[in-house]
Amino acid sequence: MKSYQKLTTTQPAACQVEEEGAAPMPPGHGKLGPWWVGSGLLVAAVLLSTITVWVLRQVSGGWLGPTPPPKCLLVPESHRFDCYPERRVVVTQELCESRGCCFIQSPLLAEGKQGVPWCFYPPDFPSYTLESLNQTALGMVGLLVRREKAYYPRDIERLRLDVEFETDTRLHIKITDAANPRYEVPLDVPRVMKRAENPIYSLNFSWDPFGVLLQRKATGAVLLNTTVAPLIFADQFLQISTSLPSKFLYGLGEHRDSLVHSLDWNTLTLWARDVSPTESFNLYGAHPFYLLMEEGGNAHGVFLLNSNAMEVALQPAPGLTWRTIGGVLDFYIFLGPDPNMVIQQYQQVIGFPAMPPIWALGFHLCRWGYGSSNETWQTVRAMRNYQIPQDAQWNDIDYMDGYRDFTLDSQNFASLPSLVEDLHKHGQRYVMILDPGISSTSPRGSYWPFDEGLRRGLFLNTTQGQPLIGQVWPGFTAFADFSNPDTHQWWLENLQHFYAHVPFDGLWIDMNEPSNFMDGSEDGCPPGDFDSPPYTPAVLGDSLSAKTVCASAKQKVSVHYNLHNLYGLMEAKASASALIKIRGKRPFIISRSTFPSQGRYSGHWLGDNRSQWKDMSYSIPGLLSFSLFGIPLVGADICGFSGSTSEELCTRWMQLGAFYPFARNHNTQNEKAQDPTAFSPAARTAMKDVLLTRYSLLPFLYTLFHRAHLQGDTVARPLFFEFPGDVTTWELDRQFLWGQSLLVTPVLEPGVDSVTGYVPQGTWYDFYTGSSVNSSGEMLKMSAPLEHLNLHIREGSILPTQKPGTTTEMTRGNPLRLIVALSSHATAWGDLFWDDGESLDTFEKGNYSYVMFNVTQNIFTSTVLHASTGATKVTIGTLSIFGMPKPPSKVLLNGQEKPFSYLDNQVLTVSDLGMTLSQGFSLQWL
């Protein structure tokens, strides 16, 4: 058996396969050997490890047991890959060695903390051998064989390896059972027709033991090296490990965490779960995708297309281990090379996000506990009275009769149809909540959704073929099976019936992990390998059925064990299809549970947060992570859902939340109101002002969403996406950008009137005044009184803005103001996408306008690249130019002189332009 630390392409056991005629790596090429084995470092590591163990043994009086074999001492602590990851088990030497692994005890850590594994793989642990490798039209196919069984039941001895060089920046590697079909995620992915001609990566394999070694050609960086630990592929335990080229790793949702994950023995579990966002817990969605920044500023991403319960173990080597308990190992690797391109390439596989209706980008207001439609209506009227922008009013489950879907509380919400009619008259929208749990206790014939779902067989079933009954808000419930196309039709019919009474505009789909107030069902869960698998990842509650349905529940496509993480996605897909058929316009859906490709159907909110400063801070890495996941329409509950907010917290949170792509203030029952009208005049004014600022930026924000829909650009963007060469930005998650151009620096602490934020190198302009800030790439202290949010525009940008109204509909009728932020070379660029804001497929059908703005050599140019009739109704009224070093002698609009104003802070303003969006024009200053 070959040792893991002796893998180089100079041995007969290794093979380089990236393309014909490629030169082999030179002998002893360090980056293709084991990543922790390097002459001096290895000697030092072994000496240090040996000395440490010897000292501990002396101090402990021998409690650490006999001296481990030399091959075990060879492995440095940071590179020990866990051979006994089971939780709630005290790993003994006997248990460990029964698996053929090394056992070295380390000091115990505090409760709940992980550390160096005591039981880890020796360098010669048995793995698979690559028996054959043959070329195909798109790549290659290989056979992997395991000759010694591993320690989980139903080892699969022969595996098929498929490699496809799909594009020059995308590699597809799939490992599955060579003899028998296995469950695979029913996700539409692109099928390529020819092999990539000039890949920017090189791929190598180790034959015995099998391993994948992937490098970036330009730098030689090793992006994947799976020779660091054995591949295990049993029926219900699949594990593969890799080295990482740096410690800057992002993604792997859904978790409450900093933007960049700690690699200090940190395990992230992916299993959809209803729980208030809490550090270290698996939360509502599952996103098995990570992005990693490499030394020098390049980036790559890895996506494991697998929907089973899984965990990803991170360790300081740096290294990563994928563990999943079903399906196949289906990897896509995206080579970027910059982080923006990685996310675009990821979305080329999972699908680009849907274009939202323009009103989705307005301000939304909700609470659980309005109590009645009249009280809801009073809040809407108060918002109008104070002229505070609002586009959508929502209701939580209290509008329902007994918390049952598709019903209306006829006593407290009798006026809801009139409220919705009033909203529509004022250019506003109505959104209601729905849960997937359907009440099962109503008298037969009295509740059509359950009766008809039962008749058609549309619910999750037990192993005995009867509807699985759990408990949610209405009491005992059955759960709709959205993997069944017939359920989509039934869902549509239910929505049509309700729409006839309450013509809603959007849907809020909650509790769709699916959530269950009991574990499994009213009868528990049956014995067996689905509900009690050989290995259970580190899920909250230590059971797959904790606060959800039994993993053994039967669904149309497969067993719930395989489909659990897809439940929210499948419900969103059914809901989007239904809304399109009912309203004939772009659907608006916000979902709690999510999975890759969710952005095609819905947005997401970050769940049931708390009214605490910490929760506000955590919302930024939350929304930035979902930008990475291809779900740009994302935000947190502004001012916090549970608990009671304070005026200061809510004011600061409204300022931050006004720059969530999806901006909704939401509150729980039995707490004081937290909508803007509930506060003092000063706080109310501050909230109103920041919402007006958001509404003024709607043309810019809407264009960002168009670019997300068209090519997978992010909307809310981490700073390192724009400044990948600036290592300082790699860990920043208390600020963010809108697109390339607008830097948001919120206050996240109580009792302060200033904020310190990082300003990347270059010139930045105060959004409100146009005054410039020249930064060398440094932390700057900014004034931030309670009524002020710091916004800065990046040099070289042109932002389309608009005079704000109190709804998106009113705003869109107002004149545009273009803000030009000149670069140090006196250049700038921007663009604007414009359509009717709600029709389906406007870009695809050509029913839109697209205008490009440019400044060079003292001339601003507006170029119409595509026009629709709607553009003739939109006026460009004002042009403001920031960074004009001196006042011009005159300004010419299409050759005709125009009056202008010039301020000492180097801002030139030209008003009353009177140009329509469909007219190209130039403006010159002399």
Side-chain angles (χ1 to χ4, degrees):
M1 175 62 65
K2 302 291 189 298
S3 295
Y4 288 92
Q5 71 271 26
K6 293 182 180 177
L7 299 171
T8 71
T9 51
T10 59
Q11 294 176 282
C15 175
Q16 184 169 6
V17 295
E18 82 276 16
E19 64 246 6
E20 294 180 3
M25 302 302 290
H29 192 280
K31 288 187 174 171
L32 286 184
W35 45 309
W36 47 269
V37 179
S39 53
L41 286 175
L42 178 59
V43 171
V46 172
L47 282 173
L48 181 61
S49 183
T50 306
I51 292 168
T52 301
V53 171
W54 182 86
V55 169
L56 285 172
R57 288 176 195 288
Q58 303 312 306
V59 171
S60 67
W63 67 270
L64 289 176
T67 302
K71 68 178 182 180
C72 297
L73 293 174
L74 191 69
V75 184
E77 284 191 350
S78 64
H79 301 70
R80 294 177 183 171
F81 286 83
D82 199 346
C83 178
Y84 215 109
E86 281 83 353
R87 301 296 177 100
R88 314 299 181 198
V89 175
V90 177
V91 182
T92 64
Q93 184 167 351
E94 182 180 10
L95 284 173
C96 179
E97 291 180 351
S98 71
R99 293 186 171 184
C101 290
C102 295
F103 183 81
I104 299 178
Q105 273 180 275
S106 301
L108 290 170
L109 299 180
E111 178 68 26
K113 295 286 186 181
Q114 295 174 259
V116 181
W118 292 5
C119 184
F120 57 93
Y121 296 106
D124 58 353
F125 190 92
S127 185
Y128 287 86
T129 300
L130 179 57
E131 289 283 312
S132 64
L133 191 66
N134 297 301
Q135 295 288 326
T136 66
L138 299 178
M140 58 199 69
V141 61
L143 176 66
L144 309 180
V145 177
R146 174 180 276 281
R147 292 188 171 80
E148 295 184 48
K149 283 190 171 294
Y151 44 84
Y152 284 107
R154 298 185 299 281
D155 246 354
I156 297 173
E157 296 179 10
R158 297 167 67 84
L159 301 176
R160 176 185 170 107
L161 168 71
D162 285 287
V163 177
E164 293 185 356
F165 301 93
E166 294 196 339
T167 74
D168 290 344
T169 56
R170 184 173 85 226
L171 176 65
H172 188 188
I173 299 175
K174 183 175 175 181
I175 302 172
T176 188
D177 189 334
N180 300 296
R182 292 178 60 81
Y183 164 76
E184 297 186 26
V185 182
L187 188 71
D188 293 331
V189 292
R191 300 294 178 197
V192 298
M193 304 307 293
K194 67 173 188 174
R195 177 178 176 147
E197 295 179 358
N198 297 295
I200 66 172
Y201 48 85
S202 61
L203 179 65
N204 299 265
F205 290 111
S206 165
W207 289 69
D208 185 9
F210 168 73
V212 174
L213 302 110
L214 179 69
Q215 284 181 284
R216 184 181 299 281
K217 284 183 180 178
T219 62
V222 177
L223 310 184
L224 297 177
N225 179 352
T226 70
T227 67
V228 296
L231 167 66
I232 296 179
F233 201 123
D235 183 37
Q236 290 181 275
F237 185 88
L238 291 71
Q239 177 176 279
I240 190 167
S241 302
T242 182
S243 64
L244 299 172
S246 89
K247 65 177 183 178
F248 294 97
L249 182 140
Y250 314 81
L252 297 175
E254 180 176 7
H255 298 93
R256 168 176 282 200
D257 203 350
S258 55
L259 182 61
V260 59
H261 290 299
S262 167
L263 269 57
D264 188 18
W265 306 107
N266 181 20
T267 297
L268 302 171
T269 307
L270 281 65
W271 182 248
R273 166 69 192 240
D274 173 7
V275 61
S276 295
T278 306
E279 298 88 320
S280 80
F281 288 177
N282 50 293
L283 301 182
Y284 310 106
H287 292 272
F289 166 82
Y290 71 77
L291 180 145
L292 189 136
M293 291 299 294
E294 305 159 28
E295 183 179 346
N298 287 327
H300 71 275
V302 177
F303 172 40
L304 172 56
L305 179 51
N306 181 294
S307 62
N308 289 89
M310 75 170 73
E311 61 192 17
V312 185
L314 308 175
Q315 62 192 78
L320 176 151
T321 298
W322 299 93
R323 291 188 200 105
T324 183
I325 60 171
V328 301
L329 296 176
D330 192 359
F331 288 102
Y332 288 86
I333 302 98
F334 311 100
L335 275 289
D338 73 51
N340 289 291
M341 295 173 72
V342 170
I343 301 307
Q344 290 174 347
Q345 291 156 11
Y346 175 42
Q347 291 174 91
Q348 287 167 4
V349 170
I350 64 171
F352 296 126
M355 185 68 187
I358 184 71
W359 64 266
L361 308 185
F363 178 60
H364 301 248
L365 193 55
C366 185
R367 78 164 301 171
W368 181 19
Y370 281 123
S372 70
S373 49
N374 286 341
E375 188 179 335
T376 309
W377 208 338
Q378 287 172 7
T379 303
V380 173
R381 289 185 180 120
M383 291 286 285
R384 291 177 192 157
N385 183 53
Y386 288 113
Q387 296 184 301
I388 301 172
Q390 181 189 2
D391 259 81
Q393 180 61 52
W394 297 39
N395 276 125
D396 208 316
I397 57 175
D398 39 0
Y399 79 87
M400 300 177 184
D401 179 10
Y403 299 146
R404 296 178 303 164
D405 278 356
F406 311 112
T407 66
L408 189 63
D409 180 343
S410 59
Q411 183 173 348
N412 295 311
F413 281 81
S415 64
L416 185 58
S418 299
L419 166 58
V420 173
E421 183 182 3
D422 178 67
L423 288 168
H424 291 165
K425 284 180 179 177
H426 287 83
Q428 296 172 300
R429 305 298 196 276
Y430 180 72
V431 179
M432 65 179 193
I433 194 171
L434 283 177
D435 295 338
I438 302 298
S439 175
S440 61
T441 57
S442 299
R444 186 64 58 89
S446 66
Y447 184 48
W448 192 87
F450 178 75
D451 293 340
E452 191 64 14
L454 187 65
R455 187 183 72 79
R456 300 187 197 179
L458 304 180
F459 298 121
L460 271 65
N461 284 337
T462 66
T463 54
Q464 303 302 310
Q466 298 300 311
L468 183 147
I469 302 299
Q471 185 175 7
V472 202
W473 295 113
F476 290 114
T477 55
F479 297 86
D481 178 11
F482 290 104
S483 76
N484 187 342
D486 295 339
T487 305
H488 293 214
Q489 177 63 29
W490 163 85
W491 193 246
L492 167 64
E493 291 169 25
N494 278 293
L495 286 165
Q496 286 172 327
H497 297 158
F498 193 79
Y499 187 85
H501 300 287
V502 181
F504 55 86
D505 300 284
L507 292 178
W508 170 21
I509 51 176
D510 191 14
M511 308 291 286
N512 54 354
E513 292 72 32
S515 176
N516 186 358
F517 294 166
M518 48 179 59
D519 293 348
S521 76
E522 61 178 344
D523 300 317
C525 295
D529 285 339
F530 289 132
D531 293 299
S532 302
Y535 180 80
T536 300
V539 298
L540 178 63
D542 299 319
S543 165
L544 297 183
S545 62
K547 295 296 177 281
T548 188
V549 300
C550 297
S552 58
K554 294 180 177 180
Q555 297 189 235
K556 177 77 172 181
V557 166
S558 185
V559 69
H560 191 74
Y561 180 89
N562 293 327
L563 300 180
H564 174 83
N565 282 338
L566 299 172
Y567 195 91
L569 170 64
M570 290 178 167
E571 186 190 13
K573 192 171 182 179
S575 301
S577 172
L579 276 182
I580 290 171
K581 289 174 181 174
I582 291 169
R583 299 181 69 248
K585 299 175 182 177
R586 283 177 225 164
F588 171 76
I589 296 159
I590 294 294
S591 175
R592 192 166 73 179
S593 190
T594 58
F595 190 81
S597 81
Q598 189 93 22
R600 296 172 60 189
Y601 311 104
S602 84
H604 173 64
W605 97 104
L606 297 175
D608 295 339
N609 61 4
R610 304 165 187 86
S611 297
Q612 297 175 5
W613 291 89
K614 179 180 78 168
D615 289 62
M616 178 169 65
S617 296
Y618 268 124
S619 72
I620 298 177
L623 74 93
L624 294 178
S625 292
F626 274 87
S627 290
L628 271 57
F629 300 148
I631 306 176
L633 189 64
V634 60
D637 283 345
I638 297 170
C639 300
F641 172 69
S642 65
S644 190
T645 192
S646 67
E647 181 162 292
E648 182 189 12
L649 172 60
C650 198
T651 302
R652 292 301 194 190
W653 209 329
M654 282 290 293
Q655 290 169 345
L656 168 60
F659 285 84
Y660 293 156
F662 165 59
R664 181 186 70 162
N665 179 316
H666 180 43
N667 191 11
T668 190
Q669 61 180 352
N670 302 321
E671 297 288 353
K672 63 185 181 183
Q674 64 184 36
D675 63 87
T677 70
F679 296 99
S680 70
R684 187 172 64 236
T685 300
M687 296 178 187
K688 174 182 175 179
D689 286 348
V690 77
L691 288 176
L692 288 170
T693 299
R694 177 191 179 89
Y695 275 60
S696 75
L697 284 159
L698 282 172
F700 175 58
L701 180 61
Y702 193 63
T703 300
L704 292 178
F705 269 95
H706 166 68
R707 297 176 73 85
H709 170 64
L710 188 64
Q711 61 192 39
D713 284 6
T714 52
V715 176
R717 190 171 300 179
L719 272 70
F720 75 85
F721 271 48
E722 290 301 313
F723 303 93
D726 182 352
V727 180
T728 305
T729 65
W730 292 11
E731 295 186 79
L732 297 180
D733 59 9
R734 294 171 68 85
Q735 299 166 271
F736 58 96
L737 294 159
W738 266 12
Q740 298 178 327
S741 311
L742 190 64
L743 176 62
V744 183
T745 307
V747 172
L748 302 173
E749 298 168 344
V752 299
D753 59 5
S754 65
V755 62
T756 300
Y758 187 73
V759 181
Q761 184 174 4
T763 301
W764 296 79
Y765 298 92
D766 184 291
F767 171 79
Y768 310 98
T769 67
S771 297
S772 62
V773 177
N774 294 301
S775 175
S776 59
E778 55 197 306
M779 301 296 293
L780 294 178
K781 186 176 182 180
M782 310 171 197
S783 175
L786 189 58
E787 69 277 6
H788 184 70
L789 171 69
N790 277 278
L791 298 173
H792 290 88
I793 305 176
R794 185 180 179 183
E795 64 171 305
S797 307
I798 300 176
L799 267 58
T801 72
Q802 202 161 21
K803 181 182 177 183
T806 53
T807 63
T808 53
E809 192 173 290
M810 289 182 63
T811 301
R812 284 168 62 81
N814 293 335
L816 291 168
R817 175 194 176 207
L818 306 178
I819 302 176
V820 177
L822 291 177
S823 72
S824 56
H825 303 292
T827 60
W829 183 91
D831 62 344
L832 173 65
F833 176 82
W834 191 279
D835 62 11
D836 69 8
E838 62 179 6
S839 294
L840 293 163
D841 303 323
T842 56
F843 178 78
E844 292 77 5
K845 295 175 180 176
N847 299 326
Y848 69 95
S849 296
Y850 181 73
V851 184
M852 194 166 67
F853 309 116
N854 191 61
V855 172
T856 184
Q857 296 181 335
N858 293 355
I859 300 175
F860 170 93
T861 307
S862 173
T863 306
V864 181
L865 297 181
H866 194 279
S868 65
T869 54
T872 60
K873 302 172 184 176
V874 186
T875 302
I876 299 176
T878 305
L879 189 69
S880 295
I881 302 174
F882 297 171
M884 182 77 72
K886 60 181 181 179
S889 58
K890 58 181 174 180
V891 172
L892 304 176
L893 174 64
N894 290 338
Q896 300 296 312
E897 194 164 343
K898 288 286 291 184
F900 62 89
S901 66
Y902 182 85
L903 301 177
D904 290 342
N905 64 342
Q906 301 186 339
V907 174
L908 172 71
T909 301
V910 186
S911 303
D912 301 320
L913 294 176
M915 307 300 294
T916 68
L917 200 57
S918 59
Q919 294 174 282
F921 69 93
S922 65
L923 187 133
Q924 182 178 17
W925 50 95
L926 303 172

